[in-house]
Amino acid sequence: MEITAEIKDRLSLLQEKYAAMGQDITAYLDGLLYADYLTYWDYIHLDTLLSLQHPKTSYPDEEIFIMYHQITELYFKLALHECKQISNHTSLTPAFFASRLKRINAYFTALVSSFDIMVDGMDKEQFLKFRMSLLPASGFQSAQYRMIEIYSTELIQLATAGKRDALKHASLAEQFEYIYWKYGASELSTGKQTLTLQQFIAKYAGQLLQLAQNNTDRNFSSLYKTLQQRGEDMSAVEEELRKLDLFVNVEWPLSHYKSAVRYLERDPVDIAATGGTNWQKYLPPRFQKRIFYPYLWTEEQVEQWGKSWVMNVLKTYRI
């Protein structure tokens, strides 16, 4: 093969690159010579990925349950990748902000639209049996989802609804003590924390509080207000923030609510979730009234938050 002028130019540029770092280009060319060709399966570690499903029972549909939750966590990781780009940007513009929000919303579009796999994609009797081997593990324990929430808004908006007014001027540590999800895995009768919640707090509470402290002025709500005060055109950002608000605080919880109604609701007694979460009060958006950007919604929209969605689900899936 002829060593063309173009190849010589490339080699010269590479030599300059490695020389600037005190490296010898010859060693790197040797590495390229000895290395095997890259394959798709090696690049994405396909064999490892496909080996990560380890059911606890012999029921076939448990593998569906495992894989869907793994897929969910990968989508959350994609969303967090975009969250970090927004939060860490040193010269954030509305255009960049909106473009990365649009990516996050695309991931949640896929998540919400695919959740029918969890609603109708498993045999109910199998699910009610294999779920007992999962105690006390629960999807409630997804730390990545909590991180997305913290990136999205001020911590006060994640406090349980009845405490927000009293905590407005409290420290972040005090606000975190009343974060809404702590009440979602507490026993209704006693208020005692379930083992699911205790495990989650022990592993992730410090990390989540630190993230909130690091993003006091870098969460999406704070960044929006900063850019708005500069007189920037925020219309595209507002559109994407509203979508994100609905996805995270209405559509995604509602997807889980549909699944819970499908599998766990029995008349007259409801079946407990695997983690002991009081899903009847925890999942419906109208009870939590968790809204990232209340200033982007009308008073009526806030008042009716998620109500119509929940009523439609109950009509469709109530047993």
Side-chain angles (χ1 to χ4, degrees):
M1 176 181 175
E2 180 185 357
I3 305 299
T4 64
E6 185 177 5
I7 293 175
K8 289 179 181 178
D9 287 342
R10 294 289 192 277
L11 287 172
S12 178
L13 290 171
L14 281 172
Q15 190 167 23
E16 289 177 13
K17 173 183 174 180
Y18 289 115
M21 297 182 290
Q23 300 292 300
D24 180 9
I25 186 177
T26 305
Y28 284 88
L29 290 175
D30 283 345
L32 185 61
L33 178 64
Y34 303 144
D36 290 333
Y37 291 109
L38 184 65
T39 63
Y40 166 79
W41 49 90
D42 285 333
Y43 181 63
I44 67 166
H45 297 278
L46 183 60
D47 291 340
T48 301
L49 182 64
L50 298 181
S51 71
L52 295 177
Q53 295 74 48
H54 303 285
K56 299 295 184 183
T57 72
S58 60
Y59 293 105
D61 282 3
E62 186 187 351
E63 198 159 350
I64 298 172
F65 189 80
I66 294 171
M67 283 188 282
Y68 186 78
H69 281 83
Q70 290 175 335
I71 291 167
T72 296
E73 290 295 333
L74 287 173
Y75 270 114
F76 288 164
K77 187 171 183 179
L78 283 168
L80 284 171
H81 177 70
E82 308 303 337
C83 289
K84 293 170 186 174
Q85 288 195 64
I86 295 170
S87 180
N88 296 335
H89 203 290
T90 55
S91 302
L92 186 65
T93 64
F96 185 89
F97 198 172
S99 70
R100 294 314 184 264
L101 286 171
K102 188 172 290 188
R103 290 183 183 181
I104 296 171
N105 287 331
Y107 303 143
F108 271 97
T109 298
L111 283 165
V112 170
S113 63
S114 68
F115 205 83
D116 281 349
I117 294 168
M118 294 297 292
V119 178
D120 298 314
M122 294 183 298
D123 180 86
K124 182 174 182 178
E125 294 307 313
Q126 285 190 40
F127 173 77
L128 292 176
K129 291 175 180 176
F130 74 67
R131 65 187 287 275
M132 303 312 296
S133 71
L134 311 181
L135 297 171
S138 169
F140 170 92
Q141 295 174 317
S142 173
Q144 290 198 114
Y145 184 70
R146 309 300 173 200
M147 292 175 188
I148 292 169
E149 292 178 320
I150 289 171
Y151 272 109
S152 296
T153 192
E154 294 101 339
L155 193 61
I156 187 62
Q157 296 304 132
L158 301 178
T160 190
K163 294 287 185 179
R164 285 175 201 153
D165 287 340
L167 291 169
K168 276 184 179 178
H169 303 293
S171 68
L172 289 180
E174 291 174 300
Q175 292 176 1
F176 189 77
E177 285 301 307
Y178 292 94
I179 199 163
Y180 80 94
W181 44 258
K182 289 187 178 181
Y183 296 86
S186 298
E187 295 176 3
L188 283 174
S189 58
T190 65
K192 182 180 177 181
Q193 292 182 351
T194 62
L195 179 57
T196 299
L197 178 56
Q198 293 173 31
Q199 290 175 329
F200 186 73
I201 288 174
K203 184 170 178 63
Y204 290 115
Q207 183 179 348
L208 294 173
L209 176 57
Q210 186 64 57
L211 181 65
Q213 291 170 336
N214 292 346
N215 283 277
T216 302
D217 300 320
R218 306 299 300 173
N219 63 71
F220 297 170
S221 186
S222 294
L223 291 169
Y224 166 82
K225 292 175 182 178
T226 298
L227 290 173
Q228 185 188 47
Q229 289 169 3
R230 292 179 189 168
E232 301 277 6
D233 179 4
M234 301 301 289
S235 54
V237 174
E238 289 171 1
E239 181 180 354
E240 297 304 325
L241 287 177
R242 288 192 193 95
K243 290 178 182 177
L244 180 65
D245 218 348
L246 286 175
F247 274 133
V248 179
N249 294 321
V250 177
E251 297 287 358
W252 187 240
L254 180 63
S255 298
H256 288 72
Y257 186 68
K258 287 162 64 175
S259 178
V261 171
R262 167 77 170 84
Y263 292 110
L264 303 181
E265 187 174 72
R266 289 275 182 86
D267 191 16
V269 179
D270 292 330
I271 303 169
T274 54
T277 55
N278 47 72
W279 60 270
Q280 303 92 331
K281 295 292 183 182
Y282 171 67
L283 289 175
R286 64 193 175 108
F287 292 145
Q288 289 289 332
K289 283 287 177 66
R290 191 170 65 259
I291 306 174
F292 290 157
Y293 318 107
Y295 46 82
L296 295 181
W297 305 98
T298 66
E299 288 186 14
E300 182 180 0
Q301 287 171 327
V302 170
E303 179 62 28
Q304 297 297 317
W305 192 252
K307 184 176 179 179
S308 61
W309 284 275
V310 173
M311 298 311 295
N312 287 335
V313 169
L314 287 174
K315 289 177 184 177
T316 304
Y317 289 97
R318 187 178 289 277
I319 299 169

